[in-house]
Amino acid sequence: MPQKKFYRSRAHCNPLSFNEAFDYPTRPDLFDWTEDHYPEHPTLAQDDAEMSGFNSQSAAIRPDVLDVGCGFGGLTMALSHALPNNTILGLEIRAKVTEYVRLRIVAQRKEHPGQYHNCSVMRTNAMKYLPNFFPKAALEKLFFCFPDPHFKRKNHPRRIVSERLLS
């Protein structure tokens, strides 16, 4: 299990800063979630006949529950256990924190075989790139815990919960 003290990071990150280090697909159907995020997803284990490459089964695996701004992954891990029939994805913008959550998930998968295969974490800017990963009406639940409110009008573009994101 990774130690949190080695993965400390600033509490806030400017989502509007020029940061093009994120990889994202041009269309949602071009992203294979099984490659890096869900290689042993429970749905894949049910069908052993089609285990080679990018097939229809792996194309059907797509996160349907998001934890936007997942932080150190507490809710993402709890949702994995509470919603075993869903596919959970934690989104975080900070690189060190994302790496901590990834290592935490890997450690839990080794410690508890057969569990935590329906959750993963991804480093991305949800404000900019969420439409590139998910088609319309593909998500069942969105969790926004502790979003920055930005009450001043000049900071309204920094709000994560916006009309563009929710449409």
Side-chain angles (χ1 to χ4, degrees), residues 6 21 51 53 67 74-75 78 100 103 105 108-109 112 124 147 149 153 155 161 166:
F6 297 120
M51 288 303 285
D67 180 12
L75 180 62
Y100 169 79
L103 292 173
I105 291 171
Q108 290 294 337
R109 286 177 180 171
H112 305 283
T124 191
R153 183 167 299 280
N155 289 328
V161 182
L166 298 176

Side-chain angles (χ1 to χ4, degrees), residues 17-39:
S17 67
F18 184 75
N19 188 350
E20 297 300 324
F22 299 110
D23 293 327
Y24 58 92
T26 53
R27 292 190 336 249
D29 57 333
L30 297 178
F31 195 76
D32 183 12
W33 291 100
T34 58
E35 187 177 333
D36 293 327
H37 297 282
Y38 307 103

Side-chain angles (χ1 to χ4, degrees), residues 11-68:
H12 300 281
C13 182
N14 184 359
L16 301 178
S17 67
F18 184 75
N19 188 350
E20 297 300 324
F22 299 110
D23 293 327
Y24 58 92
T26 53
R27 292 190 336 249
D29 57 333
L30 297 178
F31 195 76
D32 183 12
W33 291 100
T34 58
E35 187 177 333
D36 293 327
H37 297 282
Y38 307 103
E40 297 177 23
H41 193 274
T43 308
L44 290 175
Q46 292 172 1
D47 187 16
D48 293 335
E50 297 183 70
M51 288 303 285
S52 60
F54 186 80
N55 54 42
S56 61
Q57 191 78 355
S58 64
I61 295 174
R62 177 179 289 133
D64 54 358
V65 176
L66 292 185
D67 180 12
V68 179

Side-chain angles (χ1 to χ4, degrees), residues 71-155:
F72 288 96
L75 180 62
T76 304
M77 301 294 288
L79 287 173
S80 174
H81 194 67
L83 303 170
N85 296 328
N86 293 82
T87 305
I88 293 97
L89 180 68
L91 299 175
E92 180 59 48
I93 197 168
R94 299 171 291 169
K96 286 172 78 175
V97 177
T98 304
E99 181 62 13
Y100 169 79
V101 177
R102 187 188 70 76
L103 292 173
R104 184 177 174 190
I105 291 171
V106 168
Q108 290 294 337
R109 286 177 180 171
K110 287 181 183 176
E111 190 175 321
H112 305 283
Q115 294 182 1
Y116 300 104
H117 291 289
N118 66 331
C119 74
S120 186
V121 67
M122 173 187 279
R123 179 176 183 255
T124 191
N125 187 342
M127 288 176 61
K128 290 183 179 180
Y129 306 120
L130 199 62
N132 294 67
F133 290 103
F134 306 101
K136 289 185 184 258
L139 300 172
E140 286 184 26
K141 294 178 171 91
L142 283 167
F143 290 90
F144 295 95
C145 297
F146 311 109
D148 292 333
H150 294 293
F151 298 111
K152 295 179 182 177
R153 183 167 299 280
K154 70 176 185 173
N155 289 328

